[in-house]
Amino acid sequence: MTFVFNEREKCGSCPIRHRAICARCDEDELTLLEDMKSYQTFEAGQPIIWRGDDLTHFASVVSGIASLSRTLEDGRTQMVGLLLPSDFIGRPGRETVDFDVTAVTEVTLCRFQRRPFEDLVDRVPHIAQRMMEMALDELTAAREWMVLLGRKTAREKIATFLEMIVRRETVPTQSIQEYQLPLTREEIANFLGLTLETISRQLTSLKKDGVVEFIDRRHFRIKDLNALHLASGDDADGGVIV
Amino acid sequence: MTFVFNEREKCGSCPIRHRAICARCDEDELTLLEDMKSYQTFEAGQPIIWRGDDLTHFASVVSGIASLSRTLEDGRTQMVGLLLPSDFIGRPGRETVDFDVTAVTEVTLCRFQRRPFEDLVDRVPHIAQRMMEMALDELTAAREWMVLLGRKTAREKIATFLEMIVRRETVPTQSIQEYQLPLTREEIANFLGLTLETISRQLTSLKKDGVVEFIDRRHFRIKDLNALHLASGDDADGGVIV
DNA sequence: CGCTATCTTGAATCCCTTCAAGTCGCGTGG
DNA sequence: CCACGCGACTTGAAGGGATTCAAGATAGCG
């Protein structure tokens, strides 16, 4: 990571400058954000904020991965989203947080105090416009995940999950690429609405069927991308990629 | 329904004036929308737009209920949301639609052509601000539904569904109120990620347990609101209402 | 009055979970 | 250096909740 998170770092050189809520902002608007922002880093596994907590700050994920989840009273937990760099935490107009936010890896946030930021959202149209776009994108993603949770089999769920990782990280030039699972088996289970044992079983099943191969527990390669897509249940036509 | 959907009806007297995307607009901004809008009505059961179709218009639901759903190639379908009056259809910036939209009851839409409306979103901050709010609200609702789909049992799912109807339609003054199921058993099943037989079985189970009673297949009363809430699985403390 | 769509109920099956017992890998300390 | 311990993971066997398949009941409507 080349970017150093000094408090007074210029937004212009920020790695998420063109994807976060500031994406549409011009230089003057960026200055307003620069004057407000502060950075905070969380270690892997640390809670960032709990459901029901007072929302003192809004924040953008600058680096690392955080999870959004809800756990029922008896311990069942469902992850409802992964927060990647540029993703936003908090909902203008609300005082508290609706879901638990946890650092999955080490996470650095770019934070803004609630009141000043809410004022800014009302004053700077570029921010609301960008947040609308981002919220609508996340809404579509959430709805697609609802289809997975409600209707897909265990095998289809895992295949979809692996495919998501592959789609996000594939570098066009590289042919036989190695991917990393950002989550433990248990976290994957909570993301897919399954148990960790089922995750384990289905991963070995996909391995036996020659779809993926594992370098170690957290690193894998795709041996048959087309079979992976077929297993995801998203298309009947097989969605031939190449 | 007292409101008549004449093409040149004034927005000021529109039933969704203060909840839809126009909620924050002043009189001048409303005039811009008035000049663009046209109404369209769909009969119950009719498709409004299919996944992949060109999005020629954005629209707000003025009256009636529509569903958002996705069906996998082998016929499994998952409803990902219900569109009620004031809810919005379409995503500025996208050319096509991500989910099937179907009229559940008779539905009337207030429509805007894509290009002019997209320009308006960029020019009128009040619209983007309101759409951001609405998208964030829907996002939270979608995520809560993900918890239901991923982690709740059939009984909990149905109890949650009934509770949702009750919360939405309860009139404070009325004590023993009658509620309507807006969906068939099959539609409920597709909403909850279950089969219609399971819906039927769980409804009779809740009936046997004295939680609800049915006037006919589409109308019910709550006999024990507290038991209903307990059955929803959302709180351990039972969330005593009264 | 009967037709058809919707819904209910029953029985068998299955996929995933639950419970339980290992295995693997890695850092720590003897 | 290797034993130890612990967390993460795998694998097996049994059980259960929801589905599937199949009748039958009910209600709305011509």
Side-chain angles (χ1 to χ4, degrees), chain A residues 79-165:
Chain A
M79 206 179 279
V80 298
L82 282 178
L83 299 170
L84 305 176
S86 83
D87 283 337
F88 187 76
I89 299 171
R91 193 162 60 138
R94 294 294 160 114
E95 310 269 316
T96 58
V97 167
D98 295 315
F99 296 90
D100 301 332
V101 183
T102 311
V104 172
T105 65
E106 184 180 284
V107 168
T108 297
L109 302 181
C110 171
R111 306 187 316 162
F112 310 95
Q113 282 200 312
R114 196 179 92 213
R115 287 281 176 231
F117 185 80
E118 283 176 346
D119 293 343
L120 210 62
V121 172
D122 280 343
R123 283 203 333 270
V124 180
H126 281 161
I127 296 179
Q129 285 165 4
R130 179 62 187 146
M131 286 188 69
M132 178 197 75
E133 284 176 1
M134 290 175 68
L136 288 169
D137 283 344
E138 279 188 76
L139 189 53
T140 296
R143 285 169 169 164
E144 257 152 22
W145 212 251
M146 286 170 66
V147 177
L148 175 145
L149 291 172
R151 290 303 187 199
K152 288 191 178 180
T153 64
R155 187 185 172 93
E156 288 170 338
K157 285 178 175 182
I158 301 212
T160 305
F161 176 67
L162 293 180
E163 206 184 4
M164 188 186 77
I165 292 172

Side-chain angles (χ1 to χ4, degrees), chain B residues 153-155 193-195 197-198 201-202 217:
Chain B
T153 64
R155 178 177 244 258
L194 296 168
T195 61
E197 293 96 329
T198 300
R201 274 186 255 270
Q202 294 297 334
R217 284 167 168 177

Side-chain angles (χ1 to χ4, degrees), chain A:
Chain A
M1 219 172 302
T2 54
F3 190 76
V4 181
F5 303 105
N6 298 321
E7 289 302 322
R8 308 236 47 84
E9 189 67 43
K10 290 289 179 199
C11 287
S13 54
C14 175
I16 59 168
R17 163 73 178 95
H18 297 291
R19 287 183 296 142
I21 52 152
C22 46
R24 283 175 167 236
C25 291
D26 57 34
E27 291 304 318
D28 292 346
E29 292 162 350
L30 224 49
T31 309
L32 297 171
L33 288 167
E34 248 163 32
D35 291 341
M36 292 173 52
K37 77 185 194 319
S38 64
Y39 290 105
Q40 189 173 11
T41 297
F42 296 84
E43 290 167 32
Q46 240 186 308
I48 292 173
I49 189 167
W50 291 100
R51 176 185 182 203
D53 283 358
D54 277 351
L55 187 73
T56 59
H57 292 78
F58 297 100
S60 290
V61 176
V62 181
S63 70
I65 300 178
S67 70
L68 264 182
S69 65
R70 165 89 46 102
T71 112
L72 302 178
E73 305 289 342
D74 62 359
R76 286 175 287 177
T77 105
Q78 177 65 50
M79 206 179 279
V80 298
L82 282 178
L83 299 170
L84 305 176
S86 83
D87 283 337
F88 187 76
I89 299 171
R91 193 162 60 138
R94 294 294 160 114
E95 310 269 316
T96 58
V97 167
D98 295 315
F99 296 90
D100 301 332
V101 183
T102 311
V104 172
T105 65
E106 184 180 284
V107 168
T108 297
L109 302 181
C110 171
R111 306 187 316 162
F112 310 95
Q113 282 200 312
R114 196 179 92 213
R115 287 281 176 231
F117 185 80
E118 283 176 346
D119 293 343
L120 210 62
V121 172
D122 280 343
R123 283 203 333 270
V124 180
H126 281 161
I127 296 179
Q129 285 165 4
R130 179 62 187 146
M131 286 188 69
M132 178 197 75
E133 284 176 1
M134 290 175 68
L136 288 169
D137 283 344
E138 279 188 76
L139 189 53
T140 296
R143 285 169 169 164
E144 257 152 22
W145 212 251
M146 286 170 66
V147 177
L148 175 145
L149 291 172
R151 290 303 187 199
K152 288 191 178 180
T153 64
R155 187 185 172 93
E156 288 170 338
K157 285 178 175 182
I158 301 212
T160 305
F161 176 67
L162 293 180
E163 206 184 4
M164 188 186 77
I165 292 172
V166 169
R167 280 192 194 285
R168 183 158 54 78
E169 290 181 14
T170 296
V171 181
T173 52
Q174 217 161 334
S175 54
I176 311 148
Q177 200 168 339
E178 188 171 309
Y179 302 96
Q180 189 187 21
L181 289 176
L183 307 176
T184 66
R185 302 291 188 264
E186 186 177 18
E187 288 165 337
I188 297 172
N190 289 337
F191 198 25
L192 299 177
L194 296 168
T195 60
L196 67 94
E197 294 95 329
T198 299
I199 302 298
S200 189
R201 274 186 255 272
Q202 293 297 334
L203 283 177
T204 54
S205 166
L206 286 171
K207 189 171 65 183
K208 271 179 191 153
D209 295 346
V211 181
V212 297
E213 91 189 311
F214 278 84
I215 291 95
D216 62 36
R217 284 167 168 179
R218 289 293 198 107
H219 296 267
F220 66 95
R221 275 193 279 264
I222 301 299
K223 292 182 72 179
D224 188 341
L225 187 54
N226 208 47
L228 182 69
H229 184 72
L230 271 173
S232 78
D234 278 328
D235 273 330
D237 63 16
V240 180
I241 310 254
V242 178

Side-chain angles (χ1 to χ4, degrees), chain B residues 35-55:
Chain B
D35 291 341
M36 289 173 55
K37 77 185 191 332
S38 64
Y39 290 105
Q40 189 174 12
T41 297
F42 295 85
E43 291 167 33
Q46 239 186 310
I48 292 174
I49 189 166
W50 292 100
R51 177 186 182 203
D53 282 359
D54 277 350
L55 187 73

Side-chain angles (χ1 to χ4, degrees), chain B:
Chain B
M1 220 172 302
T2 55
F3 189 77
V4 181
F5 304 106
N6 297 321
E7 289 302 323
R8 308 236 49 85
E9 190 65 44
K10 290 288 178 198
C11 287
S13 55
C14 175
I16 58 168
R17 163 74 178 93
H18 297 289
R19 289 183 295 140
I21 53 153
C22 47
R24 283 174 167 237
C25 291
D26 57 33
E27 291 304 318
D28 291 345
E29 292 162 350
L30 225 49
T31 308
L32 295 172
L33 288 168
E34 248 164 33
D35 291 341
M36 289 173 55
K37 77 185 191 332
S38 64
Y39 290 105
Q40 189 174 12
T41 297
F42 295 85
E43 291 167 33
Q46 239 186 310
I48 292 174
I49 189 166
W50 292 100
R51 177 186 182 203
D53 282 359
D54 277 350
L55 187 73
T56 59
H57 292 78
F58 297 102
S60 291
V61 175
V62 180
S63 71
I65 300 179
S67 69
L68 264 181
S69 65
R70 164 89 47 103
T71 113
L72 302 177
E73 305 290 342
D74 61 1
R76 285 174 288 178
T77 105
Q78 177 64 50
M79 206 179 279
V80 298
L82 282 177
L83 299 171
L84 304 176
S86 84
D87 283 337
F88 188 76
I89 299 170
R91 193 162 59 137
R94 293 294 160 115
E95 310 269 317
T96 58
V97 167
D98 294 315
F99 295 91
D100 301 331
V101 183
T102 311
V104 171
T105 65
E106 184 181 285
V107 168
T108 297
L109 302 181
C110 170
R111 306 186 315 162
F112 311 95
Q113 281 199 313
R114 197 177 92 214
R115 287 281 176 232
F117 184 80
E118 282 176 347
D119 293 345
L120 210 61
V121 172
D122 280 343
R123 282 203 334 268
V124 181
H126 281 162
I127 296 178
Q129 284 165 6
R130 180 60 187 148
M131 287 190 69
M132 178 197 74
E133 284 176 2
M134 292 175 66
L136 288 169
D137 284 345
E138 280 188 76
L139 188 54
T140 296
R143 283 169 171 164
E144 257 152 23
W145 212 249
M146 285 170 66
V147 177
L148 175 145
L149 291 173
R151 290 303 185 199
K152 288 192 177 178
T153 64
R155 178 177 244 258
E156 290 170 337
K157 285 178 175 182
I158 299 212
T160 305
F161 176 67
L162 294 180
E163 207 185 4
M164 187 186 80
I165 292 171
V166 170
R167 280 192 193 285
R168 181 157 55 80
E169 290 181 15
T170 297
V171 181
T173 53
Q174 217 162 334
S175 55
I176 312 147
Q177 199 167 340
E178 187 171 309
Y179 303 96
Q180 188 187 22
L181 289 176
L183 307 176
T184 66
R185 302 291 187 265
E186 185 176 20
E187 287 165 338
I188 297 171
N190 289 338
F191 198 24
L192 299 176
L194 296 168
T195 61
L196 67 97
E197 293 96 329
T198 300
I199 301 298
S200 188
R201 274 186 255 270
Q202 294 297 334
L203 283 177
T204 54
S205 166
L206 286 171
K207 190 172 64 186
K208 272 178 191 153
D209 296 346
V211 181
V212 296
E213 95 190 309
F214 278 84
I215 290 96
D216 62 36
R217 284 167 168 177
R218 288 294 197 107
H219 296 266
F220 66 96
R221 274 192 280 265
I222 301 298
K223 293 182 72 177
D224 188 341
L225 187 54
N226 208 48
L228 181 69
H229 185 72
L230 271 172
S232 77
D234 278 328
D235 274 330
D237 62 17
V240 179
I241 311 253
V242 179

